[in-house]
Amino acid sequence: MNDAATGATAQEIVIAMEDRMHKTRDRIESRVATMQSRIHRFPRGLRGIGDDGEDGHYIVPSVVAIGPYHHGLPHLQEMEDVKHAAAYHFCSDAGRSTMEVYERILSLAGDARHCYATDTDDEAVARLSDAELAAMLLLDGCFLLQYMINSDAPMFFAGPNLPSGEAILKDMMLLENQIPWLVLDALTEFLSVDVRHQFVDDIGDTFFPKERPGWMARMFQMTCRRIPAETQFHSQSTISYKPAHLLGLLRFSQSQLHSMPSQDRRYQGSSKAFHLMKNILRHGRKKKVSSKALRSTSAVELAQIGVKLTTSKATWLGDMTLRKNLFFGELSLSPLFLNDVTACWLVNMAALEASTAWDSDGFVVSSYLSVLAMLMDREEDVHHLRAKGLLRSIFSNARTMDFFKGLAQHLRLGGRQVILLDQIESYKRSRPLRIFLHRRIYGSYKTMTIASLFSIVGVLVGIFKTLLSKKQQ
């Protein structure tokens, strides 16, 4: 039977359709297989995050281009001279010729190209030959490693328009500003740099506000620095993990899926979060975890119902635990330090999760950020989080809340977030009488505090008047 429009037979149509089906399947499977190793463009769905506006503060580097996506932008050219100086120092310190190092990177150019390419090659990558790509990757890789070795080196700040080290750190962790890990791995064959533990772990500590340690703790830290990295307390999975790039390693270190307690691993791998999320998406307010619960359980509301906020001892962003005791509840979260650099890193880790995660357990950082945003309905909530030590921010309360609220509306639901929300709802359902009484006591306490203050002032005024009258007599 012929197709009237094309004249093709049914067999020809089926053959063409099957050919397209096979090619499409192969293309999609290839995309999925390499999803974790690619260097992605910033997801379109997240481009409206926070106060980013059109200048791409969270997307476009401000001082240095790493990799091909932003290479050649006019405002980044001054740092290109610094890259050449860094490459000179790297080859000199390694005792190798520039040609030897370049040929090693050139041998990886094809594999590196595949880390950037999509179904249709990105123009920023396609316009470069393998030789040009290798030269770019060598300069960028040497720049990164030299900065890790000595971030205070004068060459990083020699130009009149060169910025502070914080701006370089911010740019190093942008999703679109990465080079493949295999390039850094190859360069460290010439000059040993402990990228994981001496750099990424150290900058990861920036997220967590800490009090200055006592002298005994400082002595212990100084002793630990002398221990080789291989003998320190790092799990085998940390050592064997191969990230796609630096941002991937930072996100991995802050998710800590490799070293979390066994009960948390079970929590991650359970299907409970998956079923809860399906219920939310299908039935909304009809289910126990309603869409209202996703936005209305603020920090002050938790205090009103008897849930105390406490800081977790864990140094990773996914630690969120709600515990019940006889009378109260306790929600434990990792504390966070927020400034322009850490805010940028958080946005880009969330963007990385949006680009690479395929199930709810992959959104660890996104879950943490969404929970913090949920706790902020008013500036009073931000103040409460600061008072509890859960948040230290150089931003004002209003700007802090705007950042988290603007970020959260673009994030996917994560498994840890959904299960925590279910625990909060379960707490509310199981303790109606205690919550009612606690709300009354909480409100009365605030009223009583103000009244007591006026009473104390009145008493002091009376005493002062009495003493004054006696003095005048």
Side-chain angles (χ1 to χ4, degrees), residues 345-406:
W345 291 350
L346 290 166
V347 169
N348 279 271
M349 285 194 291
L352 176 62
E353 289 183 343
S355 301
T356 59
W358 59 78
D359 61 24
S360 64
D361 287 344
F363 295 94
V364 177
V365 176
S366 299
S367 289
Y368 174 79
L369 296 173
S370 296
V371 168
L372 277 180
M374 176 196 72
L375 294 174
M376 301 177 193
D377 273 349
R378 296 169 295 174
E379 291 185 38
E380 181 184 358
D381 295 311
V382 182
H383 179 76
H384 187 74
L385 290 170
R386 289 182 192 265
K388 293 297 181 180
L390 285 168
L391 181 65
R392 292 186 187 177
S393 174
I394 67 169
F395 303 154
S396 66
N397 287 349
R399 186 182 173 191
T400 299
M401 186 171 69
D402 287 345
F403 169 77
F404 281 103
K405 288 299 187 185

Side-chain angles (χ1 to χ4, degrees), residues 12-185:
E12 290 172 335
I13 291 174
V14 170
I15 290 174
M17 185 167 60
E18 286 183 337
D19 181 60
R20 183 173 179 180
M21 289 164 59
H22 291 154
K23 289 179 179 177
T24 303
R25 179 206 62 187
D26 292 343
R27 187 170 67 249
I28 291 175
E29 288 182 354
S30 174
R31 183 193 305 163
V32 171
T34 59
M35 184 169 61
Q36 297 292 323
S37 61
R38 288 188 187 276
I39 297 175
H40 296 267
R41 287 289 192 174
F42 200 91
R44 289 184 180 179
L46 275 69
R47 286 184 176 266
I49 281 178
D51 58 356
D52 191 33
E54 297 181 356
D55 62 352
H57 177 67
Y58 297 133
I59 304 172
V60 180
S62 57
V63 295
V64 59
I66 304 295
Y69 287 156
H70 299 285
H71 185 77
L73 291 180
H75 72 282
L76 306 176
Q77 292 313 296
E78 188 169 0
M79 197 64 80
E80 293 302 310
D81 286 340
V82 179
K83 290 181 184 180
H84 284 79
Y88 170 83
H89 285 291
F90 180 88
C91 294
S92 177
D93 292 345
R96 305 297 182 94
S97 69
T98 305
M99 179 58 74
E100 185 179 1
V101 179
Y102 173 75
E103 286 180 344
R104 177 71 178 99
I105 302 304
L106 182 60
S107 70
L108 302 171
D111 292 335
R113 183 182 298 277
H114 290 307
C115 293
Y116 293 101
T118 54
D119 294 335
T120 15
D121 285 348
D122 193 295
E123 183 183 350
V125 184
R127 62 183 169 81
L128 298 171
S129 67
D130 280 359
E132 292 170 326
L133 180 61
M136 175 190 294
L137 294 175
L138 184 149
L139 291 173
D140 291 351
C142 289
F143 175 88
L144 291 173
L145 293 175
Q146 286 297 122
Y147 188 82
M148 294 176 198
I149 293 169
N150 183 12
S151 60
D152 295 325
M155 64 180 171
F156 294 113
F157 314 101
N161 300 316
L162 292 183
S164 67
E166 285 194 351
I168 296 175
L169 280 174
K170 180 186 78 68
D171 285 355
M172 287 170 68
M173 295 301 173
L174 298 179
L175 180 62
E176 292 191 0
N177 215 38
Q178 301 295 317
I179 58 174
W181 181 261
L182 58 90
V183 174
L184 292 176
D185 223 14

Side-chain angles (χ1 to χ4, degrees), residues 12 30 92 130 180 190 197 237 241 251 306 376 380 442 469:
E12 290 172 335
S30 174
S92 177
D130 280 359
F190 299 104
H197 306 136
S237 58
Y241 173 68
R251 185 261 170 191
M376 301 177 193
E380 181 184 358
Y442 183 88
S469 63

